[in-house]
Amino acid sequence: PDQQTLAQLITAQVHRTPDAVAGRHRGASLAYADLNQRANVLAHHLIDLGVGRGDFVGVLDERGLDFLIGLVAILKAGAAFIPIDPGYPADRVQHMLSDSGVSTLLTRSAIATRCRAAEAGAELKHVVLFDDRRERSFGITARSITSTGSSGN
């Protein structure tokens, strides 16, 4: 196991105990099989956007099951994640996005709306929303919004 990635260890756990609880948050739970299925869908979406090894993906969201799915998906895509607390001031979020080289951001609509100023200063290529209801696949409601990657300055 010490030679396996976290994504590979989760997949192995899915095969051993697919119905075991992988995560709980506010009374909701997620089985390993569901986590794996949803993370795979999101990982493929990220890969389709060009995310891969050596890339950093920001996760600007409250801690919860979507957050867990996002982290696993990012690892399955071969990238690294940068967790960003949505409670941070906009200038700190902007600095974290810019300084880390994040090109893709996972978030949700309400948080994205609050943080538009922060996103504008970063070189984002894509913003992927966890909760966009126009696209739904296997419980993932992620949709990407292509960004110009420029603050307009």
Side-chain angles (χ1 to χ4, degrees), residues 59-63 67 83-90 92-93 96 106-108 110-112 114-115 118:
V59 184
L60 179 64
D61 195 17
E62 301 290 337
R63 304 308 187 250
F67 190 87
I84 304 169
D85 189 324
Y88 287 157
R92 180 168 169 96
V93 171
M96 290 179 75
L106 298 182
T107 189
R108 61 188 61 253
I111 296 170
R114 282 195 329 242
C115 296

Side-chain angles (χ1 to χ4, degrees), residues 76-151:
K76 285 178 172 262
F81 59 84
I82 307 292
I84 304 169
D85 189 324
Y88 287 157
D91 60 338
R92 180 168 169 96
V93 171
Q94 189 277 328
H95 175 75
M96 290 179 75
L97 291 172
S98 297
D99 193 52
S100 64
V102 166
S103 63
T104 301
L105 179 67
L106 298 182
T107 189
R108 61 188 61 253
S109 301
I111 296 170
T113 301
R114 282 195 329 242
C115 296
R116 287 284 183 231
E119 292 172 23
E123 293 296 321
L124 292 177
K125 293 179 184 171
H126 304 282
V127 176
V128 179
L129 301 175
F130 283 118
D131 61 342
D132 190 308
R133 301 295 179 216
R134 291 175 279 185
E135 291 187 18
R136 180 176 285 277
S137 178
F138 299 111
I140 287 292
T141 54
R143 183 178 74 86
S144 61
I145 300 169
T146 303
S147 173
T148 62
S150 170
S151 63

Side-chain angles (χ1 to χ4, degrees), residues 1-10 12 16:
D2 57 316
Q3 298 298 317
Q4 293 182 320
T5 66
L6 181 57
Q8 291 168 329
L9 291 170
I10 290 171
R16 282 193 303 276

